[in-house]
Amino acid sequence: MGDLSSNLAMARKGMPDMATTGCFAGPSFNLLVGTGLGFLKLQKDLGRSVIEPVSLTPTIRIGFVFIIANCLLIILCSGIFFRWTLPHRYSFVLFTLYLCFIAMSIKTMF
């Protein structure tokens, strides 16, 4: 909730670029630093300099595919078709993409 309220406040004060950057940079930083520190602690606890490769479940692989698809769609839609802006109707594309992700995740689980 802290990120949401601060990003909304920045957008309302006329800094939409900073608010958009905060939407992407905050979670990315948390994910990268949190994962890096977690693996660093695991290395220290195990006493090895090399950790065995992490295996990815099918659900995580599907998630990666949909994240890459979303990034490519944003680049194509905003950059090529709409002059680096996203229209309101793009939210329907994101919602459809999310529903496809949920459906494929459930399908792989059963």
Side-chain angles (χ1 to χ4, degrees):
M1 288 303 287
D3 284 345
L4 175 64
S5 62
S6 63
N7 290 338
L8 283 174
M10 283 189 283
R12 287 182 181 146
K13 289 187 179 191
M15 297 182 279
D17 293 337
M18 187 179 283
T20 304
T21 301
C23 289
F24 291 101
S28 297
F29 176 79
N30 292 340
L31 181 67
L32 294 172
V33 171
T35 305
L37 290 176
F39 276 117
L40 188 64
K41 183 178 179 335
L42 180 63
Q43 270 185 325
K44 183 181 174 193
D45 292 346
L46 294 176
R48 292 187 270 164
S49 62
V50 177
I51 299 174
E52 297 175 18
V54 177
S55 62
L56 300 176
T57 64
T59 306
I60 294 175
R61 288 181 189 194
I62 290 170
F64 283 144
V65 168
F66 276 94
I67 287 172
I68 292 169
N70 183 33
C71 291
L72 291 175
L73 278 172
I74 287 175
I75 290 170
L76 288 174
C77 289
S78 69
I80 295 173
F81 300 125
F82 299 112
R83 294 184 176 187
W84 296 108
T85 61
L86 287 174
H88 176 69
R89 63 184 180 267
Y90 185 73
S91 61
F92 297 111
V93 173
L94 291 176
F95 188 68
T96 304
L97 194 66
Y98 179 69
L99 289 177
C100 291
F101 165 70
I102 294 295
M104 288 192 67
S105 294
I106 291 172
K107 183 179 175 184
T108 59
M109 292 171 78
F110 299 108

